[in-house]
Amino acid sequence: QPRLSPFMRASCKLLEAWKRISPAVHYTPLPFSLFVLFIDRMLELGMVECALLTWTAYHCLLRPGEALAVLVGDVVLPTLDEILQGVPGMIQIRFSKKGVATRLAHFGADVLKPRQIVLWDKVLMILLWAYVQGRDEDERVFDTIDLASWRRVLKQLGEYFWVPHVQMVLRRLRPGGACYLHLSHRWALPDLVIRGGWARFEATHPYLQTGLYASIAVHLLPDLEERSR
């Protein structure tokens, strides 16, 4: 294939700028109210590990591969008394294969250090604390569930709650968590980029816009301040 970049430099720059604003693959964020229904249903059915896995991915803005790869030693939690008092925990995340490739392409090898994400959801921390007690540090936290079964559960829940206009796939969890933090807790975009491990600042804009539309589509729009809109 001919290399046209030297001869079409201006056009290539415009194309690259457009790709940053509008990614080629875009995943509709999962609205928080639907996420709560999913977690409640999984716990009701006794699918505790799947519920914790989904909850962790949503709360920490993780890619599916990153959530499945979390080790027991990566989860650092305070005591139960400290959790109830509001002391946060921490989870260390290693980049998935796609995350590694993306960041290498944009920033180089210096950015591949595992990122540390703060946990502040008390209920999630208590459940994780009980779930990892007495287990080996090199063991995966969610070791009895694989990617295929996780996808199947999420699809079944989408059919159960009859939300065909919001296709339920695992890639909806990460942007869904970002939209929840931004719309409900007023998190700034730079904080979301760092927490979610996005390679480009511009990549979060389409997610937040689509998340707002998804909330409207399922009639679950939260009360927003004017600056959040």
Side-chain angles (χ1 to χ4, degrees):
Q1 296 180 356
R3 297 182 176 274
L4 300 178
S5 297
F7 306 99
M8 304 178 64
R9 192 174 304 277
S11 299
C12 290
K13 288 184 177 180
L14 289 173
L15 178 60
E16 182 64 26
W18 175 75
K19 288 170 62 178
R20 290 175 182 173
I21 298 173
S22 182
V25 179
H26 188 69
Y27 301 99
T28 304
L30 178 66
F32 178 73
S33 299
L34 282 179
F35 162 76
V36 172
L37 292 176
F38 282 17
I39 296 297
D40 180 73
R41 180 62 177 171
M42 282 187 272
L43 294 175
E44 181 183 350
L45 296 174
M47 304 167 63
V48 177
E49 180 169 337
C50 192
L52 285 177
L53 175 60
T54 305
W55 199 338
T56 303
Y58 197 90
H59 179 65
C60 299
L61 313 189
L62 303 182
R63 297 176 178 87
E66 293 171 347
L68 286 169
V70 172
L71 303 179
V72 173
D74 294 333
V75 182
V76 181
L77 298 172
T79 64
L80 286 179
D81 290 337
E82 291 174 334
I83 291 175
L84 294 175
Q85 293 172 6
V87 177
M90 187 273 290
I91 185 169
Q92 181 172 265
I93 302 300
R94 296 174 176 82
F95 288 107
S96 64
K97 291 182 179 180
K98 183 175 181 180
V100 168
T102 301
R103 299 189 75 81
L104 280 175
H106 289 85
F107 303 110
D110 293 338
V111 299
L112 295 181
K113 297 179 181 178
R115 69 184 191 275
Q116 296 179 341
I117 297 177
V118 175
L119 298 171
W120 72 84
D121 190 312
K122 292 182 181 180
V123 179
L124 174 60
M125 283 196 291
I126 291 174
L127 293 175
L128 283 174
W129 183 89
Y131 200 70
V132 302
Q133 286 299 302
R135 298 175 61 182
D136 187 78
E137 290 191 353
D138 295 329
E139 184 181 352
R140 288 196 302 117
V141 175
F142 312 106
D143 60 345
T144 64
I145 189 170
D146 57 22
L147 197 61
S149 58
W150 192 15
R151 286 172 176 164
R152 186 163 53 251
V153 169
L154 202 61
K155 181 179 179 181
Q156 291 171 351
L157 289 174
E159 295 172 352
Y160 177 82
F161 289 108
W162 200 73
V163 280
H165 49 284
V166 184
Q167 185 183 7
M168 294 305 163
V169 296
L170 298 179
R171 289 287 182 174
R172 268 61 175 169
L173 295 174
R174 182 164 167 252
C179 289
Y180 169 69
L181 292 177
H182 181 66
L183 298 176
S184 298
H185 294 280
R186 319 295 189 247
W187 271 45
L189 291 180
D191 296 330
L192 296 176
V193 172
I194 295 173
R195 186 174 180 85
W198 274 284
R200 296 187 297 264
F201 178 83
E202 299 90 341
T204 58
H205 286 276
Y207 287 130
L208 297 178
Q209 293 173 355
T210 310
L212 183 60
Y213 299 149
S215 298
I216 296 173
V218 294
H219 308 291
L220 297 171
L221 182 64
D223 293 331
L224 305 178
E225 293 183 358
E226 186 64 28
R227 61 182 179 180
S228 296
R229 297 176 185 272

